[in-house]
Amino acid sequence: MLEYVSGIITFSLIYVIATVGLAVFTGFTGLFSLGHAAFFAIGAYTAGILTYFYDVNFWAALAAGVAVSSLVGVLIGYPTLRAKLRSDYFAIATLGFGEAVRVLLENLDITQGARGLPGIASETTLPIVIVFTVLVLWVARNFVHSRYGRAAIAVREDFVAAEMMGINLFQVRMRSLVFSAGCAGLAGGLFAHYVSFIQPGMFTAALSTQLTASVVAGGMGSITGPTVAAVLFVAVPEALRMASMWRLVAYGFLLVAIMVFRPQGLFGFREISWQSCVRCFRKKPAAAGGGAGQ
Amino acid sequence: MLEVSNLNVKYGQIHALRDVSLSVQPGRIVAVIGANGAGKSTLMMTLAGLLAPASGKITYDGKPLPAKAYDVLGEGICLVPERRRLYANLTVRENLLMGAFLRNDKDGVQADLEKMYTLFPILRERLKQYAGTLSGGEQQMVAIARGLMSRPKLLLLDEPSLGLAPLLVESVFRTVREIKAQGTTILLAEQNAFQALEMADDAFVLETGRVLLTGTGSDLIADPLVRKAYLGIKG
């Protein structure tokens, strides 16, 4: 039982890492990606192939996964962001990219096609994942509160006005995209060494959708919101496992309900912070009924 | 300061500016007037680097204008765009700080913020309010203040009177004069021809993408063609 719970926590946190990366991109520059599963897959396969076929050290393989998926982020970002594709066209481009990567994985020899890679060394443990999650959250928080974060928010709010403020649109978007691709790659590497078996079918558009849905449901412009949503979207289907197929229906309803009742996402653009928790507790006796402040 | 010669700008097949030539002298208010679709905004956006010219030359301080919008601001040209384009979900203060994005002198930015509150006293009361919740006139003030926060040498104002009540138009124009008095050169695109000409040192009349008339503001007010076509005064 303990193992089962710790397994769910590990899975949740792996998704949190990927979701936070995507939150920095989609939540702060306003561009939707429907192909982030591809970065996840690239990280998983790069790290997995390195340890499986070449006996590379786990940490080096993980780093290579991050590096390769960031690099692919640059490659896909260069043409699409340079052309200043509008939000919906960008989403379609990433959708195509996601599918292309999956088909590639199914047909390459090194990835063993649809058979996948069985028996990857099981290296990822809960403490490792916790450390990485904290690290990613910390970096994301610093990014958002830096000059680049403010520039990204300006781009999301009105990119023409942002350009007139002297912001290099392309650079801001590229930076966020590469960060999010790197996070997805890291999550992928951890994932591969946790489940120790990967196949292309794990990285379909459904995974991309889940990541993007977590960001939107958690709140565009928030880091902690998508974090909570990512945990929720892994934990809820698990908790409802006894309901078998109905759990996916519940999952769908959850998404619809969030969009209907909280279109700005669970957290809007708010964050959970120590100050807001403290304020929440202080206000309650005064019958003011706190709530998470900014 | 700014020289434009034989500038042509096209949107695909549509020829929006045809052989436009004009010059802006430092320390003056220069007005560009014209009806809807005359090409005023196109001109402003081209000067801000947001549109690429099809042909023609723009030189600023003797050098060609940079091709990218974010480099143009670095040179000291700032556009206050038509319809203001504020960050509606950021507070007034955050909007103003965004204007100073390229600057690194914290003290200078702080001092300039204070300056903006003196120039637009109403903003001090609105600092923590989201920009989207302000009235049209207040938004225009935020837009101008945001532009000034980059310490431009040349401020491009695109239709600052758009959608404002006559009283507010007055107050915006008064501010424009103050900005000029503080040493910023201003290029102003306006439909509100009479008030713009009254205030302008130099002026151009733009019609369907061409420069129709050039002169000082007072010259153009007296011009019979302008009086008839833009001021609605007969005889």
Side-chain angles (χ1 to χ4, degrees):
Chain A
M1 185 62 194
L2 195 69
E3 204 175 321
Y4 174 65
V5 172
S6 98
I8 292 177
I9 297 174
T10 309
F11 264 123
S12 309
L13 293 184
I14 288 175
Y15 278 105
V16 165
I17 292 172
T19 306
V20 166
L22 188 60
V24 166
F25 180 64
T26 294
F28 286 86
T29 64
L31 285 176
F32 280 91
S33 165
L34 294 176
H36 256 59
F39 294 121
F40 199 98
I42 289 167
Y45 267 94
T46 306
I49 287 171
L50 283 178
T51 53
Y52 185 66
F53 287 119
Y54 301 102
D55 283 328
V56 175
N57 176 279
F58 167 61
W59 301 100
L62 212 55
V66 173
V68 172
S69 75
S70 306
L71 190 73
V72 173
V74 173
L75 291 181
I76 187 74
Y78 197 82
T80 50
L81 298 177
R82 178 118 286 192
K84 291 190 190 167
L85 290 186
R86 278 220 329 272
S87 169
D88 30 4
Y89 299 108
F90 181 83
I92 293 168
T94 54
L95 188 68
F97 162 69
E99 283 305 291
V101 167
R102 193 179 57 81
V103 171
L104 213 57
L105 292 176
E106 267 174 9
N107 290 288
L108 283 178
D109 284 333
I110 187 84
T111 60
Q112 300 195 354
R115 278 174 298 152
L117 299 177
I120 299 171
S122 180
E123 300 267 7
T124 308
T125 58
L126 184 56
I128 292 177
V129 176
I130 291 177
V131 169
F132 273 118
T133 308
V134 172
L135 193 73
V136 164
L137 279 170
W138 179 73
V139 173
R141 180 190 156 275
N142 285 354
F143 177 87
V144 165
H145 289 289
S146 72
R147 224 173 122 70
Y148 300 112
R150 284 200 301 280
I153 294 170
V155 167
R156 179 191 66 198
E157 292 294 317
D158 189 326
F159 65 87
V160 178
E163 234 179 342
M164 284 181 301
M165 305 287 96
I167 291 167
N168 186 339
L169 263 190
F170 172 71
Q171 203 187 53
V172 166
R173 287 177 168 168
M174 191 59 145
R175 230 181 270 260
S176 314
L177 177 61
V178 170
F179 177 75
S180 74
C183 285
L186 174 64
L190 291 169
F191 177 81
H193 291 88
Y194 183 70
V195 296
S196 71
F197 166 64
I198 50 175
Q199 63 173 119
M202 290 170 167
F203 311 106
T204 56
L207 175 60
S208 299
T209 314
Q210 181 178 352
L211 294 176
T212 300
S214 303
V215 173
V216 175
M220 302 259 292
S222 170
I223 295 288
T224 42
T227 304
V228 172
V231 172
L232 220 62
F233 283 165
V234 176
V236 167
E238 283 301 328
L240 297 176
R241 199 166 267 283
M242 63 283 270
S244 67
M245 61 176 277
W246 288 101
R247 70 203 174 107
L248 292 177
V249 177
Y251 177 85
F253 269 114
L254 181 70
L255 254 186
V256 171
I258 289 175
M259 285 301 98
V260 169
F261 295 108
R262 283 204 57 89
Q264 72 274 46
L266 289 175
F267 283 69
F269 46 79
R270 297 208 181 103
E271 299 284 5
I272 311 174
S273 64
W274 288 120
Q275 290 101 311
S276 62
C277 293
V278 170
R279 216 176 307 143
C280 189
F281 281 114
R282 270 204 203 129
K283 265 188 183 171
K284 259 183 191 146
Q294 247 172 293
Chain B
M1 183 175 207
L2 183 78
E3 289 290 338
V4 177
S5 56
N6 297 319
L7 180 69
N8 281 284
V9 180
K10 293 176 182 173
Y11 297 106
Q13 291 289 307
I14 299 162
H15 208 145
L17 289 180
R18 296 163 191 266
D19 290 324
V20 169
S21 299
L22 52 85
S23 75
V24 176
Q25 306 301 326
R28 294 169 86 87
I29 297 181
V30 180
V32 176
I33 64 168
N36 281 336
K40 299 187 299 295
S41 292
T42 306
L43 176 64
M44 298 302 244
M45 270 157 46
T46 312
L47 293 179
L50 289 169
L51 290 174
S55 68
K57 242 171 63 184
I58 307 173
T59 51
Y60 173 71
D61 276 346
K63 286 174 290 182
L65 192 80
K68 301 278 182 202
Y70 49 87
D71 290 329
V72 171
L73 188 80
E75 294 290 317
I77 302 182
C78 182
L79 171 65
V80 176
E82 190 176 7
R83 268 178 267 281
R84 315 182 254 278
R85 282 191 179 268
L86 293 181
Y87 304 117
N89 296 321
L90 299 187
T91 65
V92 168
R93 196 181 126 80
E94 286 168 333
N95 266 278
L96 295 184
L97 286 177
M98 274 320 298
F101 185 73
L102 285 186
R103 292 172 55 182
N104 287 319
D105 52 325
K106 271 191 181 160
D107 298 337
V109 170
Q110 207 53 45
D112 277 6
L113 273 179
E114 286 301 321
K115 237 193 213 166
M116 291 311 132
Y117 307 151
T118 341
L119 196 60
F120 305 101
I122 186 79
L123 294 191
R124 198 190 287 275
E125 296 161 32
R126 299 272 187 264
L127 281 183
K128 296 235 160 114
Q129 217 168 309
Y130 291 117
T133 64
L134 301 185
S135 75
E138 289 165 348
Q139 287 192 15
Q140 185 62 54
M141 291 174 197
V142 176
I144 295 177
R146 185 180 65 177
L148 288 173
M149 284 302 289
S150 68
R151 285 218 180 143
K153 293 186 210 118
L154 174 62
L155 187 68
L156 308 173
L157 286 174
D158 197 355
E159 301 240 9
S161 73
L162 192 78
L164 300 189
L167 211 63
L168 282 170
V169 175
E170 285 277 317
S171 100
V172 166
F173 278 18
R174 209 176 312 122
T175 319
V176 172
R177 283 200 197 90
E178 267 173 59
I179 294 166
K180 177 203 161 189
Q182 289 171 10
T184 307
T185 311
I186 290 164
L187 182 63
L188 170 78
E190 262 297 342
Q191 281 202 52
N192 219 320
F194 186 70
Q195 275 164 306
L197 288 177
E198 219 177 26
M199 179 170 74
D201 299 306
D202 304 304
F204 300 88
V205 178
L206 215 55
E207 199 174 81
T208 54
R210 287 195 176 81
V211 174
L212 201 68
L213 286 167
T214 314
T216 64
S218 43
D219 277 355
L220 289 190
I221 283 193
D223 190 283
L225 203 79
V226 174
R227 288 173 76 87
K228 204 170 153 201
Y230 295 99
L231 305 179
I233 302 166
K234 290 206 173 107

